[in-house]
Amino acid sequence: MKTNSIKTLFIAAILISVTASCKKQLDVKPAFDITDDVVYSSVGGYKQAVAKVYGSFALTGNAGPAGNGDVQGIDEGTSDFFRLYWCAQELTTDEAVVAWGDAGLPDLHNLSYTSNNDFLKGLYYRSLYQITLANDFIRQSADDKVSSRGITGADANEVKNFRNEARFLRAYQYWVLLDLFANPPFVTENDLLGATLPKQTNRADLFAYVESELKDLENVLVDAKQNEYGRADKGAAWALLARLYLNAKVYTGTDRNTDAITYAKKVMDGGYSLISDPRVLMLADNNLNKDEFILTINYDGVRTQGYGGTTFLTHASVGGSMVAATQGVGGGWFGIRTTKNLANLFPSPSGTPDRRAQFYTAGQNIEINEIGTFTDGYAVTKFRNVKRDGTAGSSLDFADVDIPIFRLGEVYLIYAEAVLRGGAGGDNATAVSSFNKLRERAYGNTSGNVASITLDMILEERGRELFWEGYRRTDLIRYGRFTDASYLWPFKGGVKGGRGVEPFRNIFPLPAADVTANSNLVQNTGY
């Protein structure tokens, strides 16, 4: 069994509940009848409380794995943050299709989603739920409250560190909403919960807020690589700033590539290093990848049992003639595969193969004729619930594989892309070197190295390096290829050969129920 640094405990959290309609979606009751003064009476209580803020990334309810989820109105097994985020970021692109016909699920790959899509609603409310947990913790850990509870000295400083981490987790979730929904409701610890309807922010203002929070946090978080595994530090703030700035033109209309270079370079100089073999990035003992991973969502087959996260990725990707045991699971769910667009990024093996090409092809067709047929489309074996020594994880039903929210491989590619997009403060030689470091690891030698790079090469390399990790939709939008007819994939737009769709689909709709319930909200264009 893998030991996670953050052990999920319980805290009674107040949610954003402004009307009966919203309460139906976001109603969570405390597991015990306990007051804030009891929960937060000691530094240990604060650590238990911040563990709930972290734990909400990996768990779906206080009991789990199904039956009484944190977010109501969606099946608990589906309501895990990363599972929902993955569906939004991957099923909408050339990297993934799913055989299942759950209401709203096929609409993601078809790019025909509406404001009533259950999966997008689930993600929206999951992010707001996690923001609310963070807000409550930040409110309860204000200096005056900590002092009033008799917590002083080193203990008070530790609580302040917890508060800074909660602020980072909130900033990350607001970035998720910024990227996917653009104009969500906005609430901080300073808003009196339930007193008024949450006001709507806009994309430019939310960008500025996330940027300002991260710029402050980079000065007060624990130094890079000095926190417990799975907890936020300065490296996480730098990585999110680099990602934010790389996408700034999409969010605000203004390039911030110079800033992307600055913060990517901070990560690159922060003591991180690539592990030697990309095939062990997503295994059951990938907590050993601490030198490359900057921040992770920690999963454990015993302690974080749920049907989302890497349990979803390791089980749903198994089907056809695959032997489930080789993937470290008790059985496959016959669900998710990839399209030929991703498979074709990896040339047929000749000489030294790219070790990142982790596909199962026996009995699988590269062409997709029927999305509902698992054997149409190559299966992906990147996520395996087995350890480096080949033994299974702690459970065949629930995965031990952690998800890196940020890792060094992404940052190398951010730096290279920002340089090619004209950012100042970087140089082409370092950009090419960063690109080649990933190629050398992929091939195990220098046979894949290049002398120069282009933006198209970087997008292709991001596909090879980061596929199925939750990046693709954002990448395709930044490159102008998500909705455009110039780049197609099987069943894009619901047509076998693919077609372009309306540009408004670059942004997801706010849930219709929330727009109806909150008169401050205006629906995103096109919905």
Side-chain angles (χ1 to χ4, degrees):
M1 179 172 61
K2 177 172 64 179
T3 300
N4 286 323
S5 298
I6 299 297
K7 296 180 176 66
T8 305
L9 299 165
F10 125 88
I11 176 178
I14 301 172
L15 296 184
I16 302 172
S17 302
V18 296
T19 68
S21 175
C22 285
K23 287 179 181 177
K24 183 178 179 182
Q25 299 288 343
L26 289 175
D27 182 34
V28 174
K29 297 180 180 179
F32 304 99
D33 185 12
I34 190 169
T35 66
D36 291 335
D37 285 338
V38 173
V39 173
Y40 296 105
S41 61
S42 67
V43 67
Y46 274 99
K47 187 164 188 177
Q48 292 172 359
V50 80
K52 173 63 178 179
V53 183
Y54 276 103
S56 64
F57 278 76
L59 292 176
T60 52
N62 284 322
N68 187 24
D70 292 326
V71 178
Q72 300 298 303
I74 186 172
D75 176 75
E76 182 180 345
T78 308
S79 70
D80 166 87
F81 166 70
F82 193 78
R83 178 171 177 172
L84 291 167
Y85 183 71
W86 188 93
C87 287
Q89 288 286 88
E90 297 290 352
L91 286 182
T92 55
T93 76
D94 56 345
E95 287 194 349
V97 296
V98 63
W100 310 324
D102 308 50
L105 194 58
D107 298 338
L108 296 178
H109 193 76
N110 291 341
L111 301 181
S112 60
Y113 33 80
T114 71
S115 58
N116 290 309
N117 185 282
D118 285 342
F119 295 88
L120 298 180
K121 284 193 296 183
L123 176 58
Y124 173 91
Y125 288 123
R126 167 58 67 176
S127 289
L128 289 177
Y129 169 76
Q130 294 187 202
I131 287 169
T132 305
L133 288 181
N135 280 340
D136 187 65
F137 183 87
I138 294 164
R139 186 181 300 112
Q140 295 294 340
S141 57
D143 289 342
D144 59 335
K145 284 190 175 290
V146 173
S147 177
S148 72
R149 290 163 177 154
I151 300 173
T152 60
D155 286 347
N157 288 333
E158 188 171 7
V159 171
K160 187 174 292 186
N161 286 335
F162 297 157
R163 182 170 73 235
N164 291 331
E165 292 173 43
R167 287 176 59 199
F168 175 83
L169 298 178
R170 177 179 65 181
Y172 172 78
Q173 285 294 344
Y174 268 127
W175 170 78
V176 170
L177 293 173
L178 165 72
D179 185 70
L180 278 71
F181 297 96
N183 309 295
F186 181 76
V187 180
T188 72
E189 77 277 13
N190 298 316
D191 294 289
L192 183 61
L193 296 179
T196 59
L197 296 170
K199 294 184 178 180
Q200 186 171 26
T201 187
N202 61 68
R203 214 172 202 186
D205 288 348
L206 188 53
F207 177 95
Y209 169 79
V210 173
E211 177 189 24
S212 66
E213 277 287 276
L214 295 174
K215 293 275 284 188
D216 182 65
L217 287 168
E218 72 164 319
N219 298 313
V220 296
L221 284 166
V222 173
D223 287 342
K225 292 179 65 64
Q226 299 306 304
N227 214 343
E228 291 179 284
Y229 176 76
R231 290 176 58 184
D233 57 21
K234 290 179 180 178
W238 298 335
L240 184 51
L241 278 165
R243 188 186 293 176
L244 180 75
Y245 288 134
L246 185 69
N247 292 286
K249 189 169 185 179
V250 173
Y251 302 150
T252 69
T254 302
D255 285 326
R256 297 291 295 274
N257 292 307
T258 295
D259 293 310
I261 290 170
T262 296
Y263 282 93
K265 191 69 164 60
K266 287 190 177 188
V267 176
M268 291 158 63
D269 293 339
Y272 303 96
S273 60
L274 296 179
I275 62 171
S276 60
D277 189 342
R279 294 170 297 186
V280 303
L281 280 168
M282 303 300 166
L283 297 184
D285 54 357
N286 66 343
N287 57 306
L288 299 175
N289 301 337
K290 296 176 182 178
D291 286 338
E292 178 164 352
F293 290 177
I294 300 166
L295 182 64
T296 54
I297 300 174
N298 293 356
Y299 292 100
D300 185 287
V302 175
R303 295 191 178 100
T304 62
Q305 293 186 354
Y307 298 114
T310 53
T311 293
F312 163 70
L313 290 176
T314 54
H315 286 74
S317 58
V318 173
S321 64
M322 300 174 73
V323 178
T326 65
Q327 301 299 111
V329 298
W333 295 354
F334 290 72
I336 49 179
R337 303 94 66 208
T338 193
T339 77
K340 63 183 178 182
N341 291 49
L342 176 60
N344 287 339
L345 288 179
F346 299 88
S348 299
S350 57
T352 306
D354 188 327
R355 296 184 293 178
R356 297 171 297 185
Q358 297 173 83
F359 304 113
Y360 183 88
T361 62
Q364 302 290 132
N365 306 311
I366 192 169
E367 296 288 347
I368 298 175
N369 294 306
E370 298 289 341
I371 287 183
T373 301
F374 183 86
T375 51
D376 278 5
Y378 283 172
V380 171
T381 59
K382 183 173 184 174
F383 295 85
R384 301 173 60 224
N385 191 35
V386 297
K387 300 176 183 177
R388 297 183 186 192
D389 63 6
T391 60
S394 60
S395 168
L396 294 179
D397 296 320
F398 303 101
D400 286 338
V401 187
D402 297 337
I403 281 289
I405 299 177
F406 310 103
R407 64 179 178 89
L408 183 61
E410 178 206 2
V411 176
Y412 279 146
L413 292 169
I414 289 176
Y415 180 93
E417 184 177 335
V419 167
L420 265 64
R421 291 189 183 276
D427 61 85
N428 283 324
T430 304
V432 173
S433 173
S434 299
F435 186 91
N436 280 335
K437 285 178 181 177
L438 296 175
R439 305 276 289 182
E440 288 178 22
R441 176 171 71 173
Y443 287 90
N445 54 46
T446 60
S447 63
N449 284 21
V450 298
S452 61
I453 53 177
T454 65
L455 284 173
D456 282 349
M457 290 170 65
I458 291 173
L459 180 60
E460 291 177 358
E461 198 66 22
R462 287 184 69 92
R464 286 184 282 263
E465 179 68 23
L466 301 170
F467 72 91
W468 276 35
E469 294 182 44
Y471 295 90
R472 192 61 170 177
R473 171 193 157 275
T474 301
D475 289 348
L476 291 177
I477 289 173
R478 189 173 65 255
Y479 273 78
R481 300 180 186 180
F482 182 63
T483 58
D484 195 78
S486 64
Y487 181 67
L488 303 177
W489 55 82
F491 289 95
K492 177 179 181 178
V495 175
K496 182 177 178 181
R499 68 174 180 89
V501 300
E502 308 90 341
F504 71 77
R505 295 197 179 277
N506 286 318
I507 296 173
F508 289 130
L510 305 179
D514 217 27
V515 174
T516 299
N518 185 350
S519 59
N520 291 327
L521 299 182
V522 176
Q523 182 59 271
N524 289 330
T525 301
Y527 303 99

